[in-house]
Amino acid sequence: MIYTIVIFGASGDLTRRKLIPALYELHRKKRLPGALLIVGMARTEYSHDQWREILKEACMAQVGKHFDPTLWEEFARNIYYHPGDVSRAECFPELDQFVSELENHQPSTRIYYLALAPEFYECTVAHLGAAGMAVESSGPRRIVVEKPFGRDRESARQLNAKIHEVFAEHQIYRIDHYLGKETVANVLVLRFANTIFEPIWNRNYVDHIQITAAEDLPIGRRASFYESAGILRDMFQNHLLQLLTLTAMEPPSRVNADDIRDEKVKVLRAVRPFTPADVAANTVRGQYRKYRDEPNVPPNSQTATFGVVKLYVDNWRWQGVPFYLRSGKAMSCRTTQIVIQFREPPHMMFEGGPKHIHEANRLVLQIQPAEGIQIHFQTKVPDAGMKMRLTDLDFNFREKFAGEMPEAYERLLLDVMIGDPSLFARADEVELAWGIIDPIQQVWDAGGPPQLELYEAGGWGPPYSEEWMQRQGRRWFNVC
Ligand code: BG6
């Protein structure tokens, strides 16, 4: 079978920095399921060779020592460029003809990748439909939609409806690149391929859960996009809620796309809806001090670059257990982690034993960049009476498994090719996630409360976030 990936928005950053390097890596590792053709479309006029040269430079920069000129030549032979404008319907029959000729009019699996600005999603889909390019008579036809998928529940619903006019749900792959990260997939393996964690993975033993995605970089060049998004839309609606679902979901009976996604959807449905009073009490919003100096940011911008959302999953397993979701730009370091904070032992018989919840057992799932798992527990300090100290067992993926962690896009692109949507968001999942975020965003947009707290770059967000946590008798796990 021939696999053809048609990239709309081919001249953009995503294609150069993520898609082509991931496809090159799949070629290098001989993981591609069959012959691959790549066709890029954008408005800029390039020849095939000009485009190949641009991609070569970018790929070299991304894959570093894995770049092999001979392998690249082999790979690049199947890359083509077809100039065109997605907003013009007549470009699509031309494109179809171009691709069909490359495919020698043979059956193929075709993947249409929307690496475009979101305002072009709907017209591209409609034009693909009008040109008959979504019909599966000569092989599967799939569409990959990048984030952001809408900007609230209503727009996500409309976008789903528009795409469903042309593509059936089984043809649609909504990307959340966090789901392609090895350590994110490992959350399910840790929970459901072991016996020792699951019995205590519930309200009887867990005090609370912290999910943090911190980034050290400021917004920089992306400010004009970021101004209209903010941290809730950019990180919470997708990545953080995805991490929440994997942490909180029930075990599916089989590993298949619908069973997994059904369980994730149940978690989203069980999240307690936010009233304005909950938003005031259970969220924190912040902005790093220099944000307003970034190019294209108005001097009075109220856009949050930091956020905390405390939510509850109202079901049998999690009743009363707070989930703290936190993300921010310009923070102390880049780290994504899930912290399961267990309860204190019911009775402390040792004098000098742990007195605070943060000294109780803790399981830390390091998603990135130090991919690993740590279990924190009390041990006796030798030769010091009954003195105790919190220590840890530390597992590190890179040390244990020689070799490197693949980029998320490798796994995701491969899954689209073989037709496995398990790691992609389903229509209902995306809409439910927006339904959780929308009421918070509305209150924040209206000026709160909570008020916007300013913070210095290089820390863990506004000092208020620490005080707020302490008032609940808890502490943030601020470890890089
Ligand atoms: C993107 C956001 O989806 O994820 C960015 O738009 C963010 O703002 C990025 O920086 C983080 O991804 P990663 O893989 O670097 O954690």
Side-chain angles (χ1 to χ4, degrees):
M1 173 71 99
I2 302 169
Y3 292 81
T4 307
I5 302 190
V6 181
I7 306 175
F8 296 103
S11 55
D13 230 31
L14 181 72
T15 310
R16 280 199 299 270
R17 291 198 316 112
K18 298 288 182 192
L19 305 183
I20 296 296
L23 292 168
Y24 166 81
E25 282 293 88
L26 289 172
H27 172 71
R28 183 180 70 80
K29 297 177 188 171
K30 303 198 178 354
R31 300 266 167 78
L32 290 169
L36 175 68
L37 290 170
I38 301 171
V39 179
M41 183 165 121
R43 277 176 307 189
T44 322
E45 293 282 341
Y46 293 128
S47 67
H48 301 310
D49 279 337
Q50 275 171 330
W51 197 47
R52 289 175 189 143
E53 249 342 276
I54 293 171
L55 297 181
K56 182 178 177 182
E57 293 296 312
C59 189
M60 239 190 284
Q62 294 299 318
V63 305
K65 66 176 196 291
H66 293 310
F67 190 82
D68 174 332
T70 318
L71 279 181
W72 172 263
E73 287 313 318
E74 213 174 87
F75 173 72
R77 227 172 279 147
N78 294 316
I79 301 182
Y80 298 88
Y81 188 79
H82 183 80
D85 181 346
V86 290
S87 62
R88 288 178 42 223
E90 64 274 22
C91 289
F92 285 74
E94 284 166 26
L95 173 71
D96 193 32
Q97 199 184 340
F98 178 76
V99 174
S100 301
E101 277 166 18
L102 287 177
E103 292 169 340
N104 267 331
H105 302 280
Q106 297 295 309
S108 67
T109 296
R110 264 200 218 170
I111 294 154
Y112 304 117
Y113 202 114
L114 305 189
L116 293 159
E119 56 267 34
F120 295 109
Y121 290 173
E122 285 187 15
C123 68
T124 308
V125 170
H127 294 153
L128 282 168
M133 293 170 79
V135 179
E136 299 199 284
S137 53
S138 84
R141 298 291 180 260
R142 303 187 179 126
I143 184 154
V144 183
V145 189
E146 268 291 337
K147 67 171 280 256
F149 196 93
R151 51 178 289 109
D152 53 22
R153 186 175 194 163
E154 193 40 45
S155 55
R157 215 178 256 162
Q158 276 172 22
L159 182 55
N160 273 329
K162 287 283 176 204
I163 301 178
H164 284 148
E165 283 173 14
V166 177
F167 291 93
E169 184 61 27
H170 76 270
Q171 297 174 279
I172 308 169
Y173 290 70
R174 300 173 191 78
I175 286 247
D176 183 318
H177 76 283
Y178 268 53
L179 292 177
K181 293 183 192 275
E182 292 285 306
T183 41
V184 171
N186 192 57
V187 174
L188 293 189
V189 174
L190 178 92
R191 291 190 56 200
F192 303 139
N194 293 295
T195 40
I196 61 171
F197 300 111
E198 204 44 28
I200 54 170
W201 206 270
N202 57 50
R203 66 188 302 277
N204 298 324
Y205 297 94
V206 176
D207 175 76
H208 73 274
I209 291 179
Q210 299 182 15
I211 302 178
T212 296
E215 292 179 88
D216 51 348
L217 293 179
I219 307 292
R221 284 193 304 125
R222 297 174 70 224
S224 48
F225 151 76
Y226 200 82
E227 256 307 285
S228 68
I231 197 84
L232 285 179
R233 291 195 176 97
D234 193 42
M235 293 295 290
F236 281 72
Q237 183 273 338
N238 36 66
H239 311 323
L240 289 189
L241 286 182
Q242 285 293 340
L243 295 180
L244 168 82
T245 57
L246 297 175
T247 309
M249 70 192 257
E250 295 302 316
S253 54
R254 269 178 294 269
V255 183
N256 71 41
D258 270 328
D259 287 6
I260 294 177
R261 296 188 298 180
D262 285 347
E263 294 304 335
K264 289 166 66 189
V265 158
K266 283 186 207 159
V267 174
L268 297 174
R269 282 213 186 99
V271 170
R272 193 180 298 167
F274 279 80
T275 62
D278 295 329
V279 177
N282 293 334
T283 70
V284 178
R285 60 185 181 120
Q287 186 187 73
Y288 66 87
R289 253 179 224 289
K290 298 242 165 71
Y291 176 67
R292 292 175 193 177
D293 300 339
E294 307 272 18
N296 302 320
V297 174
N300 58 351
S301 165
Q302 295 293 304
T303 303
T305 61
F306 171 94
V308 173
V309 171
K310 174 186 175 188
L311 54 78
Y312 288 95
V313 177
D314 282 336
N315 63 17
W316 194 273
R317 185 191 286 261
W318 295 117
Q319 190 53 241
V321 177
F323 286 77
Y324 294 92
L325 276 46
R326 173 175 66 155
S327 182
K329 303 282 186 191
M331 305 262 286
S332 163
C333 61
R334 175 170 180 253
T335 180
T336 303
Q337 45 189 249
I338 303 172
V339 178
I340 319 292
Q341 177 65 64
F342 292 97
R343 290 183 190 281
E344 295 153 296
H347 167 62
M348 183 47 64
M349 59 190 186
F350 304 109
E351 233 179 85
K355 295 199 176 47
H356 300 290
I357 186 66
H358 59 265
E359 293 170 307
N361 293 135
R362 183 162 57 213
L363 177 68
V364 182
L365 312 183
Q366 299 278 0
I367 305 296
Q368 62 181 19
E371 295 95 346
I373 297 170
Q374 291 127 24
I375 299 181
H376 298 216
F377 54 96
Q378 292 289 336
T379 42
K380 185 177 168 316
V381 178
D383 204 16
M386 280 314 280
K387 197 167 171 209
M388 274 165 258
R389 186 182 302 157
L390 199 64
T391 181
D392 61 275
L393 282 175
D394 191 354
F395 160 78
N396 182 305
F397 275 92
R398 289 172 202 258
E399 277 170 19
K400 201 72 188 175
F401 303 103
E404 286 156 41
M405 301 294 271
E407 275 285 320
Y409 276 92
E410 285 178 44
R411 170 74 193 263
L412 296 174
L413 284 164
L414 193 56
D415 282 357
V416 184
M417 284 186 242
I418 62 178
D420 181 355
S422 308
L423 298 179
F424 295 81
R426 211 168 55 187
D428 50 349
E429 207 175 333
V430 178
E431 291 176 20
L432 282 162
W434 278 120
I436 295 169
I437 295 303
D438 282 356
I440 309 175
Q441 187 74 59
Q442 280 157 16
V443 174
W444 286 17
D445 285 348
Q451 66 174 44
L452 186 73
E453 308 279 341
L454 296 181
Y455 62 97
E456 302 299 336
W460 288 94
Y464 175 74
S465 147
E466 305 292 328
E467 292 156 27
W468 175 86
M469 197 61 160
Q470 270 166 26
R471 281 210 296 276
Q472 301 172 53
R474 301 188 173 106
R475 258 193 212 174
W476 287 115
F477 184 68
N478 289 342
V479 178
C480 285

